[in-house]
Amino acid sequence: MAAGGRHAPPHPGQLVEDLATRQENAIHTGTLTLDGTPIDYRYRGDGPPLLLLPGGAGHAGVLDGLAAHLADYYRVVAVSSRLVSAPPGTVHVDQHPKAYAEDILGVIDRLFDEPPTVFALSASAITTLELLTRHPDCLRLAVVHEPPLLGLLPDAGRHRTALEAVRAAARTGGMDEAARLMTETMTAPAPGTDIPDLRHVGDWLDGYAGTLPEPPTPELLELFTVLGEFQPLFLEHILIPFATGEVDLTALAAVSSRLVPIAGIDSRGQLPYRAAAALATRLGLPLTEFPGGHLGPVDRPAQFAGAFRALIEER
């Protein structure tokens, strides 16, 4: 401290270093074309390679908050799906995890010099399981957050019927009704039959009950408007093909040392949490709980990033 309680001015070299750090951690964007398919991506930071894959329709911007908290420690690349990256009005068919996995393989080949750690949320967690099954050597570690795989649940038929009702509402233009049915299906608590070993990393659980989600930034609020435009496409072409797809448990068991199933502590008993628990149980892995619910990476980015760093540092 300088005299009078004021901070001493920074050394000129420190100013240059701070400016370089800010520039390095600013968001940069780009687009790859993979076999004629455009794939948008965002990148920032420097360090070990980390690939972030968003849920829902797959807009990378929803993970900007998480990326901001990780960019001081990793080179963070967040990738949008081919649905989001496509020119408007050009997606008319169902999307499938195998095709999306090949997209991510192409991204890794083009943007990384070594296998990255992959963090994937919801639908993208299903993509990542497919990628791990087909190309295990392309990634260092797969951290999959609540992949909603209905086939792992004993009441899969009931949930499929509910999701069909969601899609039917979306097709008739009843997006409010579709959103209501979607929320009801995903969040209605149900007893879990698979009870894996639960674990927690870092110190976030201490005092967690007294915390609240972070308020969304203006940028995130603006993005929510954009995401609303993709919601009909998500409900029509991603929701059921992804949630009802089969996962190769035998292949995953062979590479389970590279897989970490995680779930939000606030979504216990809900469909995506139960699916993550079932996946962990089938593979004999623990389920690692993280802050928040299904959207914990979005609405609790600081807490989530801290838990994520603790997880990676122990691997």
Side-chain angles (χ1 to χ4, degrees), residues 121-204:
L121 169 63
S122 195
S124 286
I126 297 174
T127 296
T128 301
L129 292 173
E130 186 67 34
L131 180 66
L132 184 60
T133 297
R134 296 161 64 86
H135 306 286
D137 292 337
C138 79
L139 47 81
R140 173 183 172 266
L141 189 68
V143 183
V144 294
H145 187 273
E146 298 191 4
L149 289 161
L150 300 187
L152 299 179
L153 301 175
D155 50 356
R158 173 172 69 89
H159 291 302
R160 168 131 196 183
T161 299
L163 293 185
E164 292 282 4
V166 172
R167 184 165 66 176
R171 283 173 172 168
T172 60
M175 290 305 299
D176 289 342
E177 176 65 4
R180 184 189 70 79
L181 291 172
M182 179 71 169
T183 300
E184 182 180 285
T185 300
M186 290 293 175
T187 63
T193 56
D194 294 287
I195 305 176
D197 292 333
L198 293 180
R199 62 190 300 266
H200 305 90
V201 291
D203 58 2
W204 65 268

Side-chain angles (χ1 to χ4, degrees), residues 1-290:
M1 294 286 289
R6 297 167 55 190
H7 290 283
H11 186 277
Q14 183 64 47
L15 289 175
V16 173
E17 181 179 335
D18 289 346
L19 177 60
T21 299
R22 288 197 299 272
Q23 292 173 337
E24 183 177 88
N25 291 349
I27 300 174
H28 305 277
T29 62
T31 301
L32 299 176
T33 301
L34 305 173
D35 295 327
T37 300
I39 302 293
D40 296 335
Y41 64 95
R42 305 157 83 87
Y43 63 97
R44 63 200 303 175
D46 191 28
L50 173 61
L51 179 60
L52 305 182
L53 303 179
H59 197 298
V62 301
L63 296 178
D64 279 350
L66 179 64
H69 289 288
L70 294 172
D72 286 338
Y73 310 96
Y74 307 97
R75 178 182 174 232
V76 184
V77 177
V79 177
S80 291
S81 72
R82 58 167 58 192
L83 182 148
V84 168
S85 304
T90 60
V91 176
H92 305 291
V93 298
D94 282 354
Q95 309 293 289
H96 295 282
K98 288 183 180 180
Y100 278 44
E102 293 302 313
D103 291 344
I104 300 307
L105 177 65
V107 167
I108 291 173
D109 286 342
R110 294 275 292 273
L111 297 183
F112 293 98
D113 295 327
E114 61 182 286
T117 294
V118 177
F119 167 76
L121 169 63
S122 195
S124 286
I126 297 174
T127 296
T128 301
L129 292 173
E130 186 67 34
L131 180 66
L132 184 60
T133 297
R134 296 161 64 86
H135 306 286
D137 292 337
C138 79
L139 47 81
R140 173 183 172 266
L141 189 68
V143 183
V144 294
H145 187 273
E146 298 191 4
L149 289 161
L150 300 187
L152 299 179
L153 301 175
D155 50 356
R158 173 172 69 89
H159 291 302
R160 168 131 196 183
T161 299
L163 293 185
E164 292 282 4
V166 172
R167 184 165 66 176
R171 283 173 172 168
T172 60
M175 290 305 299
D176 289 342
E177 176 65 4
R180 184 189 70 79
L181 291 172
M182 179 71 169
T183 300
E184 182 180 285
T185 300
M186 290 293 175
T187 63
T193 56
D194 294 287
I195 305 176
D197 292 333
L198 293 180
R199 62 190 300 266
H200 305 90
V201 291
D203 58 2
W204 65 268
L205 194 57
D206 297 336
Y208 174 76
T211 66
L212 294 172
E214 298 175 34
T217 63
E219 293 79 10
L220 185 57
L221 288 174
E222 183 177 352
L223 180 57
F224 285 158
T225 301
V226 176
L227 294 177
E229 299 173 2
F230 288 108
Q231 191 69 353
L233 290 173
F234 166 70
L235 297 179
E236 175 70 23
H237 296 305
I238 290 182
L239 176 62
I240 290 180
F242 275 64
T244 62
E246 295 184 359
V247 62
D248 189 337
L249 292 172
T250 301
L252 288 176
V255 292
S256 62
S257 62
R258 301 186 189 214
L259 177 61
V260 182
I262 70 173
I265 193 170
D266 295 338
S267 56
R268 285 181 181 177
Q270 298 175 4
L271 188 157
Y273 184 105
R274 294 176 60 218
L279 176 68
T281 299
R282 301 287 184 89
L283 296 176
L285 296 172
L287 181 66
T288 303
E289 288 190 320
F290 266 53

